[in-house]
Amino acid sequence: MKEQGKIFAGLSVFVLAIAITYMIWTGKSDHGLEAAGTTALFLAFGLCAFIGFYLAFTAKRVDTGAGDNPEAQVSDDAGEVGFFAPHSWQPLSLAIGGALAFLGVIFGWWLLYWSIPVILIGLFGWVFEFYRGENQNQ
């Protein structure tokens, strides 16, 4: 986290320099100061500074991670990936129901009467997929 804090601190200094340059440059034009871009750049500076401060502040209180070790491998910082269903038809049901629901916006709200049950069947099927059948105890 220490390295990420340094990166964001450097980025905030860069964005501040760009914001000041932009403010001076647009202030000298015939139309006056361009307020939207100047405000956006100063807000971007503030956000980068907040993130950099948070990362530097947090880095003092946690153990050093793999990102701070120059000898670390990418796999050192990888966590548990999780469990994914090997095969499931439920996302297809949700996609068909979602497509029907969005078509209901185009062709008429009556189409939601057919899309909502398809969405609910797909949603409940996906949530309770491993409560019955051959994959019950996975």
Side-chain angles (χ1 to χ4, degrees):
M1 288 187 131
K2 191 181 296 185
E3 292 300 319
Q4 290 94 341
K6 290 178 185 177
I7 290 171
F8 272 99
L11 183 64
S12 67
V13 170
F14 173 74
V15 172
L16 179 63
I18 295 297
I20 292 171
T21 305
Y22 187 80
M23 182 178 68
I24 292 170
W25 192 3
T26 60
K28 290 182 180 179
S29 70
D30 296 335
H31 303 293
L33 180 68
E34 202 275 315
T38 305
T39 304
L41 284 170
F42 278 108
L43 287 174
F45 157 71
L47 290 173
C48 289
F50 282 147
I51 293 171
F53 173 76
Y54 170 76
L55 290 172
F57 183 77
T58 307
K60 294 177 184 177
R61 286 155 179 73
V62 297
D63 296 333
T64 57
D68 294 327
N69 183 4
E71 302 293 325
Q73 299 292 323
V74 174
S75 60
D76 293 342
D77 210 15
E80 181 180 332
V81 177
F83 173 75
F84 298 99
H87 52 78
S88 177
W89 288 96
Q90 308 309 323
L92 181 63
S93 174
L94 280 173
I96 291 171
L100 281 173
F102 282 111
L103 285 174
V105 174
I106 297 169
F107 294 114
W109 294 103
W110 57 268
L111 202 52
L112 287 176
Y113 292 123
W114 282 277
S115 65
I116 289 176
V118 175
I119 290 173
L120 289 176
I121 288 169
L123 184 65
F124 283 109
W126 208 359
V127 168
F128 298 112
E129 187 170 29
F130 295 105
Y131 283 84
R132 44 191 304 204
E134 65 183 50
N135 298 322
Q136 183 174 0
N137 293 321
Q138 289 189 359

